[in-house]
Amino acid sequence: MSRSNPRVLSTLERAGGFASAQEVYRLMQREGESIGLTTVYRSLQSLVNDKIVDVLRRDDGEAIYRLCGESHHHHLVCKSCGETVEIEGGAIEKWAQLIAEEHGFRDVGHTAEIFGICKKC
Amino acid sequence: MSRSNPRVLSTLERAGGFASAQEVYRLMQREGESIGLTTVYRSLQSLVNDKIVDVLRRDDGEAIYRLCGESHHHHLVCKSCGETVEIEGGAIEKWAQLIAEEHGFRDVGHTAEIFGICKKC
DNA sequence: ACGGTAATGAAAATCATTTTCATTTGTGAT
DNA sequence: ATCACAAATGAAAATGATTTTCATTACCGT
Ligand SMILES: [Mn+2]
Ligand SMILES: [Mn+2]
Ligand SMILES: [Zn+2]
Ligand SMILES: [Zn+2]
């Protein structure tokens, strides 16, 4: 196992939200940093193991990473124009946790999205 | 766009839980059915569009498919072994509707998944 | 039968991710 | 500083799922 290259973490921080390994790599290239794609993958995996970074999957299957501890939230998205509202989980957080515990699951996470047609559309 | 090959749906039914496209394909091969992998992919994709099957992603990123029941439901999935429990929306249905209305959205839908590690893993 | 459209599948292309492996770098002891 | 050894690095090749191409075949209405 290898330890995470600090420049990878720093780049992921700078990226803001979620970013894939490929995106982190391209970002570093663009900023003139010399690094191999392999090292980016290895570093991100290591950060996930250490629970410094969350990983989940895009619809297309690509893995995307983000720093843990950024506030957890969900999205309300307009199917027509794409306008997005960030919303707090509220009741859903408890619901997910409760359901999971009822079935004996641990290490619980969840995803939730609401979509519809916004006022303007 | 193509319509789903009925033998693909039939195989997915017979498979029981979730199965990937590759698995459905291998299953059909083993049972002597003559079909192309491309057709399996196309059929599953079509079934997803028609909301006859659910699709989600394994930890390794491979897409897995399963017949969905006729009633709207959500999933509690083990990240390790893939075991899946169907759960009722309950609180989340109201939550999604309420949040959407607060922001003036109509024609509201939602997605929600809970994941974690099951008892056996 | 004829003409057009949809379905099929083999092969090649794509693309993220992993593996290999040779090279470089860091560390710690002598 | 020199040596030895372990860890980190990255280029290139391998992997594996999914998509695309494209030529062939099955199907349907007239
Ligand atoms: Mn939440
Ligand atoms: Mn629901
Ligand atoms: Zn809108
Ligand atoms: Zn499990």
Side-chain angles (χ1 to χ4, degrees):
Chain A
M1 319 284 160
S2 54
R3 203 162 297 146
S4 164
N5 182 315
R7 289 181 296 145
V8 170
L9 178 54
S10 152
T11 303
L12 186 58
E13 279 169 2
R14 205 168 332 113
F18 282 102
S20 70
Q22 301 280 350
E23 286 163 355
V24 169
Y25 176 67
R26 279 188 292 253
L27 237 153
M28 295 180 79
Q29 296 258 297
R30 220 172 293 142
E31 295 176 2
E33 301 214 48
S34 167
I35 196 166
L37 181 56
T38 315
T39 300
V40 173
Y41 273 104
R42 275 194 288 241
S43 293
L44 289 172
Q45 273 167 210
S46 165
L47 289 166
V48 169
N49 288 340
D50 297 348
K51 307 205 189 230
I52 295 166
V53 159
D54 277 337
V55 59
L56 59 94
R57 296 227 173 235
R58 259 185 216 148
D59 270 353
D60 66 358
E62 190 173 357
I64 51 180
Y65 307 82
R66 85 168 166 186
L67 288 181
C68 292
E70 290 185 5
S71 74
H72 173 84
H73 62 261
H74 301 268
H75 293 132
L76 169 59
V77 186
C78 175
K79 284 187 284 193
S80 171
C81 69
E83 158 157 334
T84 300
V85 183
E86 287 192 357
I87 53 188
E88 294 309 310
I92 291 327
E93 314 299 326
K94 289 173 203 150
W95 172 77
Q97 190 65 40
L98 181 70
I99 296 278
E101 277 171 7
E102 275 175 7
H103 289 85
F105 280 55
R106 61 206 146 80
D107 220 347
V108 180
H110 65 268
T111 63
E113 291 254 329
I114 312 176
F115 46 88
I117 308 290
C118 79
K119 247 177 243 177
K120 281 174 292 190
C121 294
Chain B
M1 317 286 157
S2 55
R3 203 165 301 144
S4 165
N5 182 315
R7 291 181 295 143
V8 170
L9 178 54
S10 152
T11 303
L12 187 57
E13 278 169 2
R14 206 167 334 111
F18 279 104
S20 70
Q22 301 280 350
E23 285 162 356
V24 169
Y25 175 66
R26 267 176 250 139
L27 237 152
M28 296 180 79
Q29 298 258 297
R30 218 172 293 144
E31 294 175 4
E33 301 214 48
S34 167
I35 196 166
L37 180 57
T38 314
T39 300
V40 173
Y41 272 104
R42 275 194 287 240
S43 293
L44 289 173
Q45 190 51 58
S46 164
L47 289 166
V48 169
N49 288 339
D50 297 347
K51 302 193 199 251
I52 294 166
V53 313
D54 279 337
V55 58
L56 56 93
R57 299 241 170 220
R58 259 186 217 149
D59 257 5
D60 66 359
E62 191 173 357
I64 52 181
Y65 305 83
R66 184 171 80 162
L67 285 181
C68 36
E70 60 291 331
S71 66
H72 173 81
H73 61 263
H74 300 268
H75 294 133
L76 169 59
V77 186
C78 176
K79 284 188 285 191
S80 170
C81 69
E83 156 155 337
T84 300
V85 183
E86 286 192 357
I87 54 189
E88 294 309 312
I92 210 178
E93 314 297 328
K94 289 172 204 152
W95 172 76
Q97 191 65 40
L98 180 69
I99 296 280
E101 276 170 6
E102 275 175 7
H103 289 85
F105 279 56
R106 59 206 149 81
D107 212 350
V108 180
H110 64 269
T111 63
E113 293 264 328
I114 312 177
F115 45 87
I117 307 290
C118 80
K119 250 177 239 173
K120 283 173 290 191
C121 295

